[in-house]
Amino acid sequence: MIPKKQFQSTLLSWYDHSKRILPWRDNPNPYHVWVSEIMLQQTRVETVIPYFNRFIEELPTIQALSQVDDDRLNKLWEGLGYYSRVRNLKKAAIQVEEQYNGILPCNQEDLESLVGIGSYTSGAILSIAFNQPFTAVDGNVLRVFARLTANPNNIKDPNTKKMIRSTVESLLPKNRVGDFNQALMEIGATVCKPNGKPDCLYCPLQTFCLANQKNLVEDIPIKQVKSIRRKEQRTVFVLKYNNKYIIEQRPDKGLLAGLYQFPNIEGHLNMTDVQRIYKDAFSIKQIASSKHIFSHIEWALVGYFIELQEPLDKGILVSAEDLLKTYSIPTAFQTYKKLILGGLL
Ligand code: SF4
């Protein structure tokens, strides 16, 4: 059993001295907390900082987010991945405008009725922005508590998560709930780290930690075997006509929905196959190969650069500047975009 008062004061005084300066902590209003928490899902803090600053500068209010053009929104998110997050942010902002007078609700039920807000995000918003007694147990907090309590169960199991959530809940302070939750996340991100050995020597929670006492730090958390990703081969065509490049918009639903891409097809085509498809091309050459890993699929891409003599009747013709400023090209195709922007194609 973790001694509550001692645990709270140790954790909070460590947080006061060691917390990182992060832009969403300057002014933790509900909108800022919400946007930062959505960006931080599956993404490292260092990566999120410039995206957050740019996003808030351009869309400073929920109303601005609800009205932004989809292409511009995707451009602001370009490179962060998991684009369904930003689509849901806008959908939820529209809900807030229509149902809650543009003000993010401050109760769990209404918050969780918004698209993309589940129990973790609502807990983070309610505790950090409204100082309400809710837990915000993310992967970092799960790992820290699995170790603190030397939990022998699979951390991915819903029952294990439930057990850990109720332990965290029993330790919540009356005041500074948001700081308490953020301190736990911070310990998980910077001390009791996900990869490699945790820095137990520098950990303020060491005296409470059963895994440390039992020498089980490297065995806990117990994890499920990862599911195997489906591998997919694709051939990408960088098509150039009249100093412009052809891109196309992906379908509204599914992987990378609504984003722009260079035309591509399934399978690895060889030069003869490509010459057969683009038989009237001015020139064709093979360019870089690349790889991109999504949560459930792995793409192995081969690329061809094709200079056309005639325009195609499909796709959108764009300049290199349009690619830079207007159209959101997902990270999976960045290799080809960089070759264009670098003047190599
Ligand atoms: Fe994690 Fe080590 Fe701290 Fe335990 S003592 S919480 S294992 S960093």
Side-chain angles (χ1 to χ4, degrees), residues 165-321:
R165 241 179 252 126
S166 92
T167 307
V168 179
E169 201 172 347
S170 72
L171 293 167
L172 285 180
K174 282 210 171 66
N175 295 312
R176 302 192 63 191
V177 187
D179 284 351
F180 180 89
N181 283 338
Q182 289 186 92
L184 287 176
M185 295 175 204
E186 191 95 344
I187 295 253
T190 62
V191 185
C192 194
K193 294 181 275 200
N195 303 313
K197 261 187 150 185
D199 292 333
C200 299
L201 267 183
Y202 302 99
C203 178
L205 305 180
Q206 198 189 23
T207 53
F208 306 102
C209 183
L210 286 182
N212 184 274
Q213 287 157 27
K214 295 181 176 180
N215 207 14
L216 290 171
V217 167
E218 290 184 54
D219 304 315
I220 292 176
I222 313 287
K223 283 186 192 158
Q224 208 176 28
V225 180
K226 279 192 179 165
S227 61
I228 297 173
R229 287 192 188 95
R230 179 162 56 86
K231 297 198 173 172
E232 213 173 280
Q233 297 182 329
R234 301 200 75 79
T235 301
V236 179
F237 306 111
V238 179
L239 301 162
K240 186 175 186 180
Y241 172 73
N242 205 12
N243 223 20
K244 291 194 167 179
Y245 304 86
I246 295 178
I247 58 171
E248 58 189 20
Q249 192 165 23
R250 290 182 63 87
D252 280 352
K253 292 203 162 50
L255 188 69
L256 306 173
L259 302 180
Y260 293 89
Q261 64 177 6
F262 299 106
N264 62 89
I265 56 174
E266 202 167 339
H268 279 171
L269 269 54
N270 60 32
M271 181 58 93
T272 315
D273 296 329
V274 181
Q275 283 168 337
R276 203 171 296 132
I277 297 174
Y278 294 103
K279 50 183 181 304
D280 296 328
F282 183 66
S283 71
I284 299 177
K285 74 173 174 187
Q286 185 159 8
I287 50 174
S289 300
S290 72
K291 198 193 225 182
H292 188 76
I293 297 174
F294 299 94
S295 54
H296 56 299
I297 309 176
E298 188 175 318
W299 275 2
L301 305 170
V302 295
Y304 287 88
F305 173 53
I306 298 147
E307 291 192 87
L308 300 168
Q309 301 200 62
E310 300 287 337
L312 295 184
D313 54 7
K314 58 179 184 179
I316 310 166
L317 262 181
V318 298
S319 65
E321 198 182 350

